[in-house]
Amino acid sequence: MRIDVVTIFPAFFDVLEVSLLGKARATGLLDVHVHDLRDFAHDRHRSVDDTPYGGGAGMVMKPEPWGEALDAVAAAAGAARPTFVFPSPAGERFVQRTAREFADLPHLVFGCGRYEGIDERVFSYAATLGDVRLVSLGDYVLNGGEVAAMAMIEAVGRLVPGVVGNPESLVEESHEDGLLEYPSYTKPATWRGYDVPEVLLSGHHGRVAEWRHEQQVARTRERRPDLLAE
Ligand code: ADE
């Protein structure tokens, strides 16, 4: 999978060199390219923002550098139509289903907005080059799209076959079956007076599976009743 990121803060993405995603990049499973939006701004100050039409607080990202940046990454992609993902608190909610959907795509382009956002025409133009998704991490506001893009890249990247060594660990985790994950324990069986639940020491696979499922349902009911309603 190819991933391009357009941002005014490329350094946010330095962490993509560590851990599982770093390894996936090194082995070529993930082909990640980070671009500085200012490289596509041609005035003396390499400016990427301006005051909003109609007035209001803050600055809006100018369309011209974005247009050039999107042209460049779309051309680099070759024949495959890219999917442009613009992190935005005004977007659709990013959930595990979205991560699975994105993990099947050949080319993702994350466009990280800052300030009050990106000139709306950029989304219309992007739609001529590929699919466009405005995606929110949750109902809160970050300073820009970078941290949201990082979270999405990790959630998507780990679903690309081969990135996570043991694919079974992707199945038994929170949100994969619409429930929160069951609690996990390791040795020692007693620690500071706390015992591991007896059933896990029983060696009885059927009872363990049943207990884990009960725990999933109980936790989900307590912490995320909205998931059960879905
Ligand atoms: N940019 C700013 N806030 C955001 C959020 N909650 N999700 C995605 N991108 C954002």
Side-chain angles (χ1 to χ4, degrees):
M1 159 182 276
R2 177 171 171 133
I3 297 177
D4 286 89
V5 180
V6 181
T7 170
I8 58 169
F9 294 119
F12 265 100
F13 298 89
D14 287 353
V15 290
L16 285 173
E17 300 200 349
V18 300
S19 192
L20 280 181
L21 293 193
K23 218 170 109 194
R25 277 182 92 175
T27 60
L29 283 172
L30 293 179
D31 182 22
V32 184
H33 302 259
V34 181
H35 312 269
D36 188 341
L37 180 68
R38 290 192 195 280
D39 291 345
F40 302 94
H42 306 296
D43 63 308
R44 206 153 48 88
H45 298 106
R46 304 212 297 160
S47 50
V48 292
D49 62 329
D50 208 334
T51 53
Y53 275 120
M59 302 287 271
V60 175
M61 289 188 117
K62 294 154 61 70
E64 300 97 323
W66 274 108
E68 285 196 28
L70 300 187
D71 286 342
V73 294
R81 227 173 118 78
T83 299
F84 295 98
V85 181
F86 294 98
S88 163
E92 60 175 299
R93 181 80 72 84
F94 182 81
V95 292
Q96 191 65 17
R97 180 179 6 93
T98 328
R100 282 194 294 264
E101 189 189 332
F102 287 178
D104 277 337
L105 299 172
H107 186 201
L108 289 175
V109 180
F110 288 89
C112 301
R114 282 263 146 185
Y115 315 112
E116 292 308 304
I118 303 173
D119 186 304
E120 192 72 18
R121 293 168 292 182
V122 170
F123 308 125
S124 307
Y125 179 67
T128 68
L129 303 173
D131 294 328
V132 175
R133 302 282 285 269
L134 268 73
V135 185
S136 172
L137 221 51
D139 295 338
Y140 44 81
V141 179
L142 303 166
N143 283 334
E146 284 77 8
V147 167
M150 266 305 308
M152 293 188 232
I153 290 169
E154 179 153 319
V156 171
R158 64 194 294 283
L159 297 179
V160 170
V163 171
V164 169
N166 179 2
E168 266 181 44
S169 62
L170 296 178
V171 180
E172 293 192 8
E173 53 189 15
S174 290
H175 302 295
E176 274 305 330
D177 55 4
L179 296 171
L180 302 185
E181 195 175 24
Y182 54 76
S184 301
Y185 300 85
T186 186
K187 290 172 266 311
T190 300
W191 172 74
R192 297 194 177 189
Y194 299 96
D195 293 331
V196 170
E198 193 64 42
V199 59
L200 297 179
L201 310 175
S202 70
H204 192 299
H205 293 303
R207 278 179 53 214
V208 169
E210 197 181 326
W211 180 84
R212 283 178 168 167
H213 184 72
E214 283 163 15
Q215 292 290 313
Q216 286 192 280
V217 174
R219 285 185 152 193
T220 309
R221 184 174 296 127
E222 184 182 322
R223 300 176 188 171
R224 293 291 307 278
D226 56 304
L227 293 179
L228 290 179
E230 281 170 30

